[in-house]
Amino acid sequence: MPVTLIESSAFRPYRALAAILCSSLLLRFVLLASESLWLDELSALNVAKGTWAQLFDHLAVKDVHPPLYFALLKVWGGLFGFGEAVIRSLSVLVGSLGVLFAFLLARRLGGARVGLLAAALVGCSPFCVYYSREARGYSLLLCVSMAASWLLVRAAPRFSGARLVAYVAVAALLPYTHVFGAFTLLAHGIYALALWRSGETDRRAVFRLALGGVVIVLLFLPWLPVFLAQTRRVTGGFWI
């Protein structure tokens, strides 16, 4: 087969991925500021526009969310301003990155065609599009969950070296992104257990991954006192 045909065949999935990513960005960017900020977005905006001390004081005393999204929004707004479209564009970008990581994860598990299908589904999902257009941290949770899951699958079945370190570094962001990030970490543990039970990995590999889990817990400890204080504010009548 001529080299040009081989190269063309090899690049075809990436052309399709580029088209999906561009379409995903378009769906999320069109008329981004057509609706005014609603209550939760205004709350995030007010937190991000304050000082760093005010940001963490607010989360510790009044809010129930982890700090990562608010910190990113503060940096983003400091660089580009705090207009409606600007602050929502942070969610657009991380939501679109979630589409890319969905492709990488699914390709790792089932090949390029499965990866493209997964990217297309996440890219045009009304649920994912909606939360990628909102100045809240939900699209960031999608992005970090997809990235951590891809890095976990990429590190399997040996769970050693730089690939395990990369997984731990990203997975450690999950509890700082949203409390529901814990469910992603739980799913990762089930995945590793399934690999071990099926014989695809050994005890040493599982032990290395367990040590990675301990590191993730240790990295969360600085925020643990605030998290415990937040849980005491969540009552039976609270929205969560």
Side-chain angles (χ1 to χ4, degrees):
M1 181 180 294
V3 175
T4 54
L5 291 180
I6 295 176
E7 292 177 348
S8 176
S9 176
F11 278 98
R12 193 173 300 156
Y14 297 100
R15 291 174 181 171
L17 176 62
I20 291 171
L21 291 175
C22 289
S23 300
S24 300
L25 280 169
L26 184 62
L27 281 173
R28 289 157 172 75
F29 266 123
V30 169
L31 301 177
L32 191 59
S34 61
E35 296 182 3
S36 300
L37 299 177
W38 73 290
L39 179 62
D40 282 9
E41 290 180 302
L42 286 171
S43 174
L45 176 60
N46 288 332
V47 172
K49 291 176 72 172
T51 65
W52 284 105
Q54 289 171 334
L55 185 152
F56 287 106
D57 284 345
H58 173 84
L59 295 178
V61 177
K62 299 179 181 179
D63 214 313
V64 293
H65 292 92
L68 182 59
Y69 172 74
F70 299 97
L72 290 176
L73 186 63
K74 179 172 178 57
V75 173
W76 185 264
L79 291 173
F80 305 108
F82 290 97
E84 293 179 353
V86 173
I87 66 167
R88 285 172 174 164
S89 64
L90 174 61
S91 296
V92 169
L93 293 179
V94 295
S96 299
L97 276 177
V99 176
L100 174 61
F101 286 121
F103 166 78
L104 294 172
L105 172 61
R107 184 188 64 172
R108 188 81 186 183
L109 293 171
R113 290 185 178 180
V114 176
L116 291 173
L117 177 60
L121 289 173
V122 175
C124 69
S125 163
F127 184 85
C128 295
V129 172
Y130 177 86
Y131 284 107
S132 293
R133 293 169 54 85
E134 187 173 86
R136 297 294 286 179
Y138 307 116
S139 63
L140 180 63
L141 176 63
L142 168 69
C143 179
V144 177
S145 295
M146 288 291 184
S149 299
W150 167 59
L151 290 170
L152 176 70
V153 172
R154 192 182 69 145
R158 295 184 60 188
F159 300 118
S160 61
R163 291 189 172 187
L164 180 60
V165 172
Y167 163 71
V168 171
V170 175
L173 298 177
L174 282 167
Y176 282 100
T177 303
H178 197 280
V179 292
F180 290 169
F183 292 112
T184 301
L185 293 175
L186 176 62
H188 292 174
I190 295 172
Y191 169 75
L193 181 62
L195 284 180
W196 177 44
R197 292 294 299 272
S198 67
E200 294 183 48
T201 189
D202 55 29
R203 289 185 178 181
R204 289 185 178 181
V206 174
F207 178 72
R208 287 192 291 268
L209 182 61
L211 285 180
V214 171
V215 173
I216 292 172
V217 172
L218 291 175
L219 291 173
F220 183 68
L221 287 181
W223 187 251
L224 182 61
V226 178
F227 171 73
L228 294 176
Q230 289 177 336
T231 60
R232 288 192 289 270
R233 293 199 296 272
V234 179
T235 62
F238 195 70
W239 66 267
I240 200 168

